[in-house]
Amino acid sequence: MQTINTRHQLYIRGRKIILACLLLFGLAQSSVAQNNPKDNLLNYEDQWIHYGFLIGVHSSKFVIKHSDFFTSPAMDTVHSIIPGNRGGFKLGFVINMKVSQYLDFRLLPTVGFYEYDLDYRFTNGITQNELKDATMVELPLLLKYKSARRGNIAMYTVFGINPSLEASGKGDEEDVTQKLELRNWQLAIDVGVGLDIFYPFFKFSPEIRYSYGLRNMLTDDPNDFSVGLSRLTTQNLGIFVTFEGGPGGKRKLGKTDKGNNKIKTRQKKRLKSGGKGKG
């Protein structure tokens, strides 16, 4: 029978979350230290739509539930089935639409590169690793609730659904009896936190996002690898950075704008007076 060290797993996952939070805090502090005291892109939030792109890295793993067959005499040689953590990365686009002053709707077409694995440990000491890698086309649909700006920084949270479809996977042409066979589409719940950092010509946003799969990825045709499982879902912890611009992304500099307006007015007067002198 499998034994689960819950305290150990919570410690590892908690340490990852703390490190990710420290990364966000460090990015924010660096931006505050280097940033011009004048506010950038003051009219940015007045625009109803913005575009951008995102890149990110993530850690993914399976979440499993054993079937009743796992405890049967037929599986006496299997000691445990252990999911592992695997890294990957994502690339995508950002389409952000304003709903209200503090609420946005975000559409994030993304391509994600994933790896998942399971270790089948046998009573004779042998361990067999079953690796599943896939390229997923994702379409997260998220609501973004943001705070008021403090200078050039604002905090936000995101929440929504993330449907995805497998574009390709290693070993798709192999005999399904010789590998763990999974469904080719997924639905997950995404939740995250991040910072909007405004620079003169774009907005930079580091973000931590957790994704929990809702769909049982096991197929209806069990084989030697799936017969000991009744449910298999996925979970993913990612760190992303987004760069967003947008129509009318104007830099306002307070007094500097007023000074520029005065210069333009003086230039117009000189042109007019010069025109009269020539006449």
Side-chain angles (χ1 to χ4, degrees):
M1 293 295 292
Q2 178 185 3
T3 59
I4 301 175
N5 191 336
T6 306
R7 179 179 299 177
H8 178 66
Q9 292 192 4
L10 288 176
Y11 172 74
I12 294 176
R13 185 152 297 276
R15 187 170 59 180
K16 290 181 179 179
I17 294 173
I18 291 172
L19 289 174
C21 290
L22 289 175
L23 175 62
L24 282 183
F25 181 75
L27 288 170
Q29 290 297 103
S30 176
S31 174
V32 171
Q34 298 177 8
N35 202 16
N36 192 308
K38 300 169 184 177
D39 292 342
N40 300 316
L41 299 175
L42 287 181
N43 69 333
Y44 186 91
E45 302 296 341
D46 295 335
Q47 305 298 323
W48 80 275
I49 190 168
H50 298 105
Y51 305 98
F53 65 93
L54 67 86
I55 57 176
V57 295
H58 61 256
S59 174
S60 305
K61 67 177 297 184
F62 285 134
V63 179
I64 64 173
K65 181 179 179 181
H66 295 95
S67 66
D68 293 336
F69 189 76
F70 182 73
T71 58
S72 67
M75 294 196 70
D76 277 349
T77 58
V78 181
H79 174 269
S80 57
I81 304 175
I82 308 296
N85 286 293
R86 289 278 180 165
F89 66 97
K90 295 183 181 182
L91 302 170
F93 296 99
V94 178
I95 304 173
N96 189 94
M97 289 168 278
K98 179 179 178 180
V99 177
S100 63
Q101 182 179 2
Y102 298 114
L103 185 66
D104 293 345
F105 174 73
R106 291 168 73 80
L107 181 64
L108 309 174
T110 306
V111 176
F113 301 89
Y114 290 87
E115 282 189 346
Y116 299 95
D117 72 345
L118 291 175
D119 282 339
Y120 292 80
R121 299 179 180 178
F122 297 90
T123 53
N124 60 3
I126 297 175
T127 298
Q128 181 174 348
N129 180 264
E130 180 65 15
L131 177 66
K132 173 67 176 178
D133 67 343
T135 300
M136 305 295 292
V137 178
E138 305 176 350
L139 192 64
L141 307 171
L142 306 177
L143 289 174
K144 174 182 177 180
Y145 183 75
K146 53 195 177 182
S147 69
R149 284 181 58 168
R150 295 294 182 268
N152 288 318
I153 294 180
M155 296 186 64
Y156 68 85
T157 63
V158 291
F159 175 85
I161 60 172
N162 183 4
S164 59
L165 177 67
E166 183 178 357
S168 64
K170 183 178 178 181
D172 286 342
E173 303 301 324
E174 295 179 6
D175 185 352
V176 298
T177 63
Q178 301 301 315
K179 66 186 184 71
L180 181 67
E181 181 69 7
L182 303 178
R183 302 182 190 275
N184 63 356
W185 69 272
Q186 170 70 288
L187 181 65
I189 291 291
D190 283 15
V191 59
V193 296
L195 295 172
D196 283 335
I197 305 173
F198 294 86
Y199 287 93
F201 302 106
F202 64 91
K203 183 179 69 173
F204 170 72
S205 303
E207 177 183 310
I208 302 171
R209 198 189 317 155
Y210 175 75
S211 181
Y212 184 82
L214 300 177
R215 190 177 191 222
N216 185 359
M217 298 299 291
L218 296 175
T219 65
D220 296 329
D221 299 319
N223 58 21
D224 293 341
F225 290 95
S226 61
V227 69
L229 305 173
S230 64
R231 184 173 178 82
L232 183 147
T233 56
T234 61
Q235 65 179 12
N236 176 281
L237 181 65
I239 300 177
F240 302 89
V241 292
T242 65
F243 298 85
E244 295 178 57
K250 178 184 176 185
R251 181 184 182 184
K252 283 191 176 182
L253 297 177
K255 294 180 181 180
T256 305
D257 277 351
K258 294 180 181 179
N260 290 336
N261 290 334
K262 290 180 180 179
I263 293 173
K264 291 178 181 179
T265 302
R266 288 198 296 267
Q267 289 175 342
K268 289 180 180 179
K269 288 181 179 180
R270 289 173 184 171
L271 289 173
K272 288 181 180 180
S273 62
K276 289 179 181 180
K278 287 182 180 181

